[in-house]
Amino acid sequence: MAAAPMIMEGTWDEKAQTTTMNGEMLDMATGKMARHKLVTKWTGNDQMDFTILAPGADGKETASLKIKYTRKKK
């Protein structure tokens, strides 16, 4: 969604089957650097949920993108 790279660091939670990544990138609305969080949760062998959280207009973290992935069965 942006032309600049974002360097991220994160953790894997084995029990929750979730990867949480944190980094900074240019906010397209304000033109300033802003913290972003990317969360990927595996909900089964064929499904995962991906969420990008970023500062909202009020400055509080809010989901800016959510995707539910499902593997197509043959």
Side-chain angles (χ1 to χ4, degrees):
M1 293 179 16
M6 178 170 43
I7 298 172
M8 305 190 82
E9 292 184 357
T11 59
W12 165 251
D13 182 332
E14 184 72 34
K15 186 176 180 182
Q17 293 290 294
T18 302
T19 300
T20 304
M21 306 290 290
N22 293 289
E24 275 194 339
M25 68 178 285
L26 195 62
D27 185 292
M28 293 188 292
T30 65
K32 297 177 182 177
M33 295 301 284
R35 300 274 309 156
H36 286 71
K37 183 190 307 184
L38 280 62
V39 179
T40 306
K41 179 170 181 56
W42 281 262
T43 56
N45 289 333
D46 299 315
Q47 295 179 321
M48 67 182 184
D49 298 334
F50 175 73
T51 306
I52 296 177
L53 299 126
D58 60 1
K60 295 181 182 176
E61 186 176 79
T62 185
S64 62
L65 175 74
K66 290 185 178 185
I67 302 172
K68 285 187 140 327
Y69 291 96
T70 302
R71 185 188 326 241
K72 183 179 177 180
K73 302 282 184 167
K74 290 186 178 185

